[in-house]
Amino acid sequence: MTTHEHTLLNHYNITNLFPIAWPAEKDESDASEDEKLRSKPQTGRLAHQRSNSRYSVLARSTSDRRSLVPGSEKTGDGLENLVQKDEPDPLGGPDSVVRILRHRGLPVEEDQRLRNRFLLSSTTFSPTLYLSQVHSNASTESLLQGLDFLSKSIDQKSASLKVLVESNFERFVRAKTTIDNVYAEMRNQGAETSLPQRPRAHSRAHSHSRITSKGSAHFRNTSGQGPFSPRGIDKPLPSDKKKHALSKESEYGVQGIKGPLSEVAVKAEEIWGPALGGREREESLRMAVASIEKSSGILEVDAAIGSCIKRKKYDELVVEYKRARQYAEDARAIANGASSGQRPLTDPELYQIVITGRMWSGVETQIDNFKRDTWRRLTNAEAPPPTAAARSVADEHMALINVLLELGVQDNPIWFWLLSRYDHLKNKIIASFERSRVEIEILRRRLANADPPPTATAVAHLKRPGTSHDRTQPIDSPSIIEMWELVYGSLNNLLAAPDGLLGEIIDFWERAQAFLDGSMQATLPVGPNGQSRKHHRLSTEGVRELQKGVLELIEILRGSVFSFLADPPIEDVSMLYSPLPPTTPSTPKSAIFAPYAHQDSRFKFDASNPPPPSPKTGEAWQAFAFWPPCANTVGGVQYLEKILNLVGAAASELARLPSVSSSSTVQRSLKTLVAGTRERCSKALMAAWIRDVEMFHLVENWERAGDRRDLTKMPAYFLAFEHTVLSGLQKIVYIPDVASRANATDVVTAPPAELLRDVRRHFEKTLYTALSDMVRYSEMASSPKNPQQSETMSSPPLTIAGAVSGAPQSREIRLLLTMGNMQLFRTDLVPQLVAQFETNFSHKLTEEAKTIKVALGQIEDKLFKSYAGPFARNLGSMIHSGITSSSWVPTTDRPTELRPYVYEALLLLVNIHTEVTTTAPPLLLPIISYLFEQIVLAFLAAFRARTERYTLAALMQATLDVEFVASILSQYTTAKASELQSEVYQELDQRTDNSARMRLQNELPEMRAILKKLRDGTRGEFMCFKKQRTAK
């Protein structure tokens, strides 16, 4: 693009040399000076001057404030901007700056601030940014050439500006002098002034002087001081002429006429002050007073009607209105009589008609206002449930209907009240439900984002059913109970038959049915001249619409409750925000949360920072809007049972209505409500059931039961917990309190088989989970640093205040107590729970009971081996080490002592015997018997491990060791132990010769004596294994 094209674009302030439409901004621009001059004919010297002056482009009007820079534009606020829209490259480039930036993708046409940073004429011009974007690829040579071009351009513009100032300096001086002289003449108007004549030469010398001394100021700043200022020659004005001067003291020229105007105003007040009147009015006023006294009854009617309206005395209002109508009819009869008789009205008749007309006009105004107020009260009807107080409210509405019918109205007040009541109930159901739903979600989110209850607190709540004697123990955390109460309270407000919205719907239908039957119309008035009789009958179409409206209210109520219970939690909680934006200037601060300014402080929050949604952690409770996060089963079963009874009772009450009983669609929807609520509540409860059972092992604090010291309190807690859950779940599944009603079969159906299978599956899972976790918990080491100890299992302490002395500090004692608990579960508790399930749900668990029994046996066997296995391995190691030792073979031909390993093994058994006896005595026999079997099995394995054949001395030592142990543990001998002992002697017999066998037989009597001596010598040490004699 050439320089000439740039000049044209900037001069005409356009972006294209060939535009296709007139720019819109040109329509809004000021008219140019040339247009103004063309509108006036140019004659004489001025025309000649404009055509010949070489500075005509500078001869602008002082009021013309257009920019002298071609291509300049206005800003958004209408001010001139001297920065051009575009300009050629200051460094002499071939293209314009804006075009180059547009090719580079910068939004310079939309962003004026960004564009100004690249334009040299702007004060925000950035050289660094300009070079980095416009000349990013320029070489050093091209930049030096651009510098030369820029220097020459600056020199040219400086010379042009210098010529402009020199050529117009005389004009600037003359303009300043003219302005000062005109102002002095206006200010000193009417005063005699004498201005001294300044020497022309001196004036011209100053006017043409462009260079001042260093001590003098510029001529622009010397107004009122130098030779061009008239202030130095001012003189005081005479007082009689000052009032015409253009100054503040003379009130800017109006002081001279202010006095005469005040005098005229005073005279007008004196002339027109008194009121105009005459004696000719006296007679007419006297006649008017007489007529008023005669018609005092007519004048009293208007005030009496107003008093009745204020006092709400509707019976008296009707009487007064009838009296007013009678007065109006009498006046109308007088006028009609005079008209028919073609005679003029007398003055008393005329006054009576006038007074009656005024009275009737006031009465009509009051009656119309009263009717409007009554219609409004019927429209805004808010009848509460049918209680004693509500009956009075309903009677008030009937009184309003009566008075409207008595006064006579065009619309039917009965139908109007029914429709307004329907609209009111519909809006109230929707608004109450939506608000309750949002409030519940707010509490649910706060619970979800808060820290879960401590483990100790959760465990205490799970023990609540087992401590029924302590009613002060809460069933859950206070925040969770708060949400449960809010959920139940919200549903109760909707579904309570006497006091909730359900009661209002039923009451509305009963009152509507009374109007449909015609029983209510028997006492209603017929109105003036019977004109209200037509309102006593409702049309067939109206009756049909009313019945349809009642069904619609029922469906809205049912759908709202079902949506809350069946749908997942809502995401939008903006209902608590004010419908009026807070930025409205006229909105008071108290109305920010209107129309819920009275809301609970728990649900107030900053609109810019609402409670965040609950985190998605995969918990089962996140799918239920009515289940508080981290709530336990004990509280859940209590509140869900109440919710199911509430929903079932509400559906049963609705099913009794004639319009519902005749509609199969509504009946099916009510059945769906009850069945869906039952299914959702059951799923939520069973999910929490599994979660609580998974942490129920934490209830174990190893505190002994009071009646049996071999057990802990854990079995009793679990039995009470399961009993509570099964009982509550049975009431949720079958809803027996509602099913026992007369018409409950219409809405309460039998639970589906799939739901019962689900309950059975969860029941079995709770038993397996609880018992397995109990075993795993008991196998844990007491040290919290054990890597097998999970985080959830490390919470409860292993030493509990109130536990017995010698408390479960060791793993073995905890295993013994758990084995005692498991034995109680297998023999007593689990059969009780199975029987309760079969009774509650009418379903036999034959196969399931067998499976549970087998599983319990496996768990108990695992637990037994966990306790006895380490001892058996220790005993086997002792015996194997002792027999395979090189020192085991006696050095004498006839051994008389036992080897040390025998005493070590028996002493270990003594410790085990003591531990089992003091912890769980019923387990002593199976444990010692099992360990005796393992000892004999260890003897057999050790004798087989020796490679050499047994001599007579070795046979005698082996016989002494085995027989001594067998004699000490004789009362714990089992068939398996006897069989293993026989295998030991067979193994010894096979590993010797005939000579040793024969000699051993000869040594048996002596060996028996040695054994007797050894038993007598250790009687005190091993007395615990001796069978205790029972006292006769």
Side-chain angles (χ1 to χ4, degrees):
M1 181 178 292
T2 64
T3 306
H4 179 65
E5 292 176 347
H6 277 298
T7 305
L8 290 176
L9 291 176
N10 291 333
H11 179 77
Y12 292 106
N13 197 13
I14 58 178
T15 60
N16 186 5
L17 289 177
F18 304 98
I20 60 174
W22 180 262
E25 60 269 15
K26 297 297 182 180
D27 294 333
E28 300 175 359
S29 63
D30 298 335
S32 65
E33 182 182 2
D34 295 338
E35 293 175 354
K36 295 179 180 179
L37 293 176
R38 283 197 300 268
S39 62
K40 299 180 182 180
Q42 304 294 332
T43 59
R45 180 182 177 184
L46 179 59
H48 177 74
Q49 181 182 357
R50 289 193 52 83
S51 61
N52 296 328
S53 175
R54 58 182 297 189
Y55 303 107
S56 59
V57 70
L58 300 176
R60 299 176 179 269
S61 173
T62 56
S63 62
D64 188 2
R65 300 185 181 273
R66 291 179 299 150
S67 175
L68 297 176
V69 181
S72 63
E73 58 180 348
K74 286 187 177 182
T75 59
D77 54 0
L79 298 177
E80 288 285 356
N81 183 7
L82 296 179
V83 182
Q84 304 179 34
K85 285 187 175 180
D86 195 4
E87 60 185 21
D89 189 354
L91 300 183
D95 210 344
S96 68
V97 176
V98 174
R99 186 177 297 274
I100 294 174
L101 296 176
R102 186 166 56 245
H103 287 325
R104 293 187 181 276
L106 295 178
V108 292
E109 294 182 349
E110 294 82 5
D111 192 345
Q112 182 179 353
R113 292 187 177 181
L114 179 62
R115 182 179 64 200
N116 290 345
R117 300 191 67 184
F118 294 96
L119 299 180
L120 187 59
S121 58
S122 172
T123 57
T124 60
F125 173 72
S126 174
T128 304
L129 186 61
Y130 166 79
L131 292 175
S132 65
Q133 295 295 333
V134 180
H135 293 277
S136 58
N137 300 325
S139 62
T140 304
E141 182 180 358
S142 62
L143 291 177
L144 292 175
Q145 292 176 358
L147 179 60
D148 294 338
F149 181 82
L150 181 60
S151 300
K152 294 177 181 179
S153 300
I154 293 174
D155 294 339
Q156 291 176 0
K157 291 184 179 180
S158 299
S160 300
L161 183 60
K162 182 177 182 181
V163 172
L164 178 64
V165 174
E166 290 178 352
S167 302
N168 293 275
F169 184 76
E170 184 178 357
R171 292 188 179 187
F172 297 153
V173 174
R174 287 205 304 268
K176 176 65 170 62
T177 304
T178 303
I179 292 173
D180 291 341
N181 292 336
V182 170
Y183 175 73
E185 182 179 355
M186 292 176 64
R187 186 185 62 180
N188 301 329
Q189 182 180 5
E192 294 181 358
T193 59
S194 61
L195 297 176
Q197 298 296 328
R198 295 189 302 268
R200 184 173 183 83
H202 180 270
S203 176
R204 291 187 59 85
H206 279 274
S207 62
H208 288 283
S209 177
R210 291 181 293 159
I211 302 175
T212 60
S213 64
K214 294 183 179 180
S216 62
H218 195 273
F219 76 95
R220 293 179 180 268
N221 299 324
T222 58
S223 178
Q225 293 181 2
F228 302 104
S229 175
R231 296 184 182 178
I233 56 175
D234 289 349
K235 294 183 179 180
L237 297 177
S239 59
D240 57 343
K241 296 182 179 182
K242 259 189 175 181
K243 60 183 179 180
H244 300 294
L246 188 62
S247 61
K248 184 176 181 181
E249 291 77 6
S250 62
E251 298 184 7
Y252 301 98
V254 300
Q255 187 176 6
I257 62 172
K258 187 174 181 181
L261 288 177
S262 301
E263 295 177 0
V264 171
V266 172
K267 291 294 183 180
E269 182 66 24
E270 292 177 356
I271 295 173
W272 298 99
L276 299 179
R279 293 190 177 184
E280 61 275 7
R281 301 177 56 192
E282 181 180 356
E283 188 64 27
S284 60
L285 292 175
R286 186 181 293 110
M287 293 177 60
V289 170
S291 299
I292 290 173
E293 292 177 353
K294 182 179 179 181
S295 306
S296 59
I298 299 176
L299 298 176
E300 293 173 354
V301 173
D302 192 8
I305 289 178
S307 176
C308 294
I309 293 175
K310 290 181 180 179
R311 294 183 291 113
K312 296 183 179 181
K313 299 295 183 179
Y314 301 136
D315 295 338
E316 298 179 10
L317 174 63
V318 172
V319 172
E320 293 296 334
Y321 182 68
K322 289 181 179 179
R323 187 154 70 100
R325 288 180 62 88
Q326 185 62 44
Y327 285 136
E329 291 176 359
D330 294 342
R332 188 177 296 108
I334 293 174
N336 292 336
S339 177
S340 60
Q342 296 182 355
R343 64 176 179 82
L345 293 172
T346 63
D347 290 340
E349 290 177 342
L350 182 60
Y351 279 114
Q352 182 178 354
I353 293 175
V354 171
I355 293 174
T356 303
R358 292 183 178 179
M359 177 273 298
W360 184 248
S361 176
V363 169
E364 283 292 323
T365 301
Q366 292 194 75
I367 292 298
D368 289 343
N369 293 335
F370 173 74
K371 288 180 180 179
R372 282 194 297 269
D373 180 68
T374 305
W375 288 119
R376 180 184 56 79
R377 294 172 64 183
L378 285 175
T379 303
N380 300 327
E382 295 185 6
T387 58
R391 288 296 179 182
S392 62
V393 176
D395 292 342
E396 181 181 359
H397 287 287
M398 288 304 301
L400 295 177
I401 293 175
N402 284 333
V403 72
L404 286 176
L405 292 176
E406 193 72 67
L407 297 177
V409 287
Q410 294 296 326
D411 297 328
N412 190 342
I414 299 174
W415 182 247
F416 192 85
W417 179 75
L418 292 174
L419 289 180
S420 62
R421 186 71 177 144
Y422 161 78
D423 291 336
H424 168 73
L425 289 176
K426 179 179 178 180
N427 296 330
K428 187 175 182 180
I429 292 172
I430 296 174
S432 299
F433 167 71
E434 292 297 335
R435 175 161 181 80
S436 299
R437 192 175 196 175
V438 172
E439 290 180 349
I440 292 171
E441 178 61 18
I442 293 297
L443 286 188
R444 198 190 72 84
R445 290 187 181 186
R446 288 177 176 168
L447 281 175
N449 289 282
D451 295 333
T455 304
T457 304
V459 168
H461 296 154
L462 294 179
K463 294 165 61 176
R464 175 66 172 78
T467 57
S468 57
H469 59 280
D470 186 8
R471 308 307 300 179
T472 60
Q473 182 73 18
I475 59 176
D476 216 325
S477 301
S479 56
I480 295 177
I481 296 297
E482 179 186 15
M483 181 174 172
W484 275 125
E485 289 292 340
L486 181 61
V487 171
Y488 178 73
S490 300
L491 292 176
N492 189 70
N493 291 336
L494 292 174
L495 300 177
D499 301 324
L501 285 174
L502 175 64
E504 294 190 37
I505 293 176
I506 295 175
D507 179 68
F508 170 66
W509 171 248
E510 291 176 352
R511 295 184 180 280
Q513 188 65 38
F515 283 113
L516 298 180
D517 298 340
S519 58
M520 190 68 71
Q521 287 88 329
T523 58
L524 294 179
V526 296
N529 302 323
Q531 65 179 10
S532 297
R533 194 183 303 275
K534 61 182 179 180
H535 299 321
H536 289 193
R537 296 182 300 274
L538 299 179
S539 63
T540 305
E541 182 66 22
V543 172
R544 195 158 42 244
E545 291 295 328
L546 184 60
Q547 293 175 343
K548 186 191 299 184
V550 173
L551 294 180
E552 184 180 357
L553 291 177
I554 294 174
E555 179 59 26
I556 293 174
L557 182 63
R558 185 208 68 83
S560 300
V561 175
F562 187 73
S563 173
F564 170 68
L565 295 173
D567 294 344
I570 60 175
E571 298 293 336
D572 184 16
V573 294
S574 59
M575 180 184 177
L576 290 182
Y577 300 161
S578 170
L580 298 176
T583 56
T584 303
S586 59
T587 302
K589 186 175 181 181
S590 59
I592 293 300
F593 287 96
Y596 305 112
H598 60 280
Q599 64 181 352
D600 196 330
S601 59
R602 297 175 298 174
F603 312 113
K604 290 183 179 180
F605 53 85
D606 186 4
S608 61
N609 186 25
S614 59
K616 302 297 183 182
T617 59
E619 295 285 348
W621 50 261
Q622 293 180 341
F624 304 97
F626 58 87
W627 187 274
C630 302
N632 61 46
T633 316
V634 179
V637 73
Q638 176 176 331
Y639 280 97
L640 290 183
E641 177 186 345
K642 295 165 64 176
I643 290 174
L644 258 296
N645 288 333
L646 184 63
V647 173
S652 178
E653 288 292 333
L654 291 175
R656 292 191 304 106
L657 298 179
S659 58
V660 176
S661 59
S662 60
S663 175
S664 58
T665 304
V666 180
Q667 285 186 341
R668 284 195 301 270
S669 65
L670 292 177
K671 289 182 180 180
T672 303
L673 171 64
V674 177
T677 303
R678 173 174 57 194
E679 181 178 358
R680 290 284 290 177
C681 292
S682 300
K683 288 184 177 180
L685 184 63
M686 287 185 288
W689 190 13
I690 296 297
R691 177 179 175 272
D692 288 347
V693 168
E694 288 176 351
M695 64 179 302
F696 205 88
H697 59 276
L698 301 177
V699 175
E700 181 63 87
N701 59 2
W702 310 110
E703 184 178 356
R704 306 295 180 89
D707 51 345
R708 293 187 57 179
R709 306 299 296 174
D710 59 324
L711 304 175
T712 65
K713 293 184 177 181
M714 168 71 171
Y717 287 141
F718 184 76
L719 179 64
F721 173 78
E722 289 287 287
H723 174 74
T724 301
V725 175
L726 288 176
S727 300
L729 195 56
Q730 186 266 345
K731 294 179 181 179
I732 292 175
V733 171
Y734 290 97
I735 322 178
D737 295 339
V738 179
S740 59
R741 299 190 177 191
N743 58 338
T745 54
D746 297 335
V747 292
V748 180
T749 58
E754 180 62 28
L755 179 59
L756 293 177
R757 284 195 296 269
D758 201 14
V759 174
R760 181 189 63 198
R761 185 165 55 251
H762 280 78
F763 172 66
E764 297 175 9
K765 186 175 180 180
T766 57
L767 292 179
Y768 296 148
T769 302
L771 298 178
S772 300
D773 288 348
M774 287 167 55
V775 174
R776 184 159 54 94
Y777 188 54
S778 63
E779 292 176 346
M780 289 165 36
S782 60
S783 174
K785 297 182 180 179
N786 187 355
Q788 296 180 353
Q789 191 171 2
S790 65
E791 180 181 354
T792 56
M793 291 187 175
S794 64
S795 299
L798 297 179
T799 303
I800 305 297
V804 296
S805 178
Q809 298 293 335
S810 67
R811 171 180 174 273
E812 290 75 16
I813 294 179
R814 295 199 303 274
L815 287 174
L816 287 173
L817 293 175
T818 305
M819 282 192 290
N821 293 340
M822 292 299 299
Q823 195 174 44
L824 180 65
F825 272 110
R826 178 175 54 84
T827 59
D828 188 13
L829 301 188
V830 172
Q832 283 187 40
L833 293 176
V834 171
Q836 181 184 357
F837 183 89
E838 293 176 345
T839 302
N840 289 350
F841 298 96
S842 302
H843 183 79
K844 287 293 183 180
L845 298 178
T846 305
E847 296 298 328
E848 291 80 358
K850 294 180 181 178
T851 305
I852 293 173
K853 186 176 181 180
V854 172
L856 283 175
Q858 295 174 353
I859 293 174
E860 193 172 4
D861 183 62
K862 177 183 177 182
L863 187 62
F864 184 86
K865 290 182 179 179
S866 296
Y867 175 78
F871 294 118
R873 289 189 293 271
N874 195 6
L875 290 171
S877 177
M878 290 180 182
I879 294 173
H880 185 273
S881 299
I883 294 177
T884 58
S885 175
S886 58
S887 61
W888 178 76
V889 178
T891 57
T892 61
D893 296 336
R894 179 179 295 174
T896 59
E897 297 292 337
L898 299 173
R899 290 306 181 203
Y901 77 89
V902 176
Y903 293 109
E904 293 177 2
L906 289 176
L907 287 177
L908 178 60
L909 284 180
V910 170
N911 293 333
I912 297 173
H913 185 282
T914 303
E915 186 176 68
V916 175
T917 303
T918 57
T919 304
L923 300 176
L924 180 63
L925 180 61
I927 290 175
I928 301 300
S929 299
Y930 171 76
L931 293 178
F932 179 41
E933 294 174 358
Q934 298 302 312
I935 288 174
V936 177
L937 189 61
F939 273 125
L940 179 60
F943 288 141
R944 287 176 178 176
R946 293 186 64 85
T947 57
E948 67 274 11
R949 298 182 66 80
Y950 291 100
T951 62
L952 176 62
L955 287 175
M956 294 177 65
Q957 186 65 52
T959 303
L960 284 175
D961 293 347
V962 173
E963 284 296 328
F964 182 79
V965 173
S967 64
I968 293 297
L969 302 176
S970 60
Q971 67 169 345
Y972 300 102
T973 303
T974 61
K976 183 178 180 181
S978 300
E979 183 180 352
L980 291 173
Q981 190 174 357
S982 300
E983 292 182 7
V984 169
Y985 290 135
Q986 291 177 6
E987 179 65 22
L988 293 174
D989 186 67
Q990 293 175 1
R991 302 281 295 277
T992 188
D993 52 15
N994 275 331
S995 175
R997 293 190 194 98
M998 297 301 296
R999 294 172 61 186
L1000 179 63
Q1001 294 295 326
N1002 297 329
E1003 294 290 339
L1004 288 179
E1006 184 65 22
M1007 290 179 63
R1008 290 191 184 95
I1010 294 174
L1011 282 174
K1012 184 176 183 304
K1013 181 181 179 181
L1014 291 174
R1015 285 198 302 269
D1016 292 341
T1018 58
R1019 182 177 301 174
E1021 287 82 355
F1022 306 123
M1023 184 178 294
C1024 61
F1025 298 115
K1026 186 178 181 180
K1027 185 177 182 180
Q1028 301 294 330
R1029 296 180 180 179
T1030 57
K1032 295 183 179 180

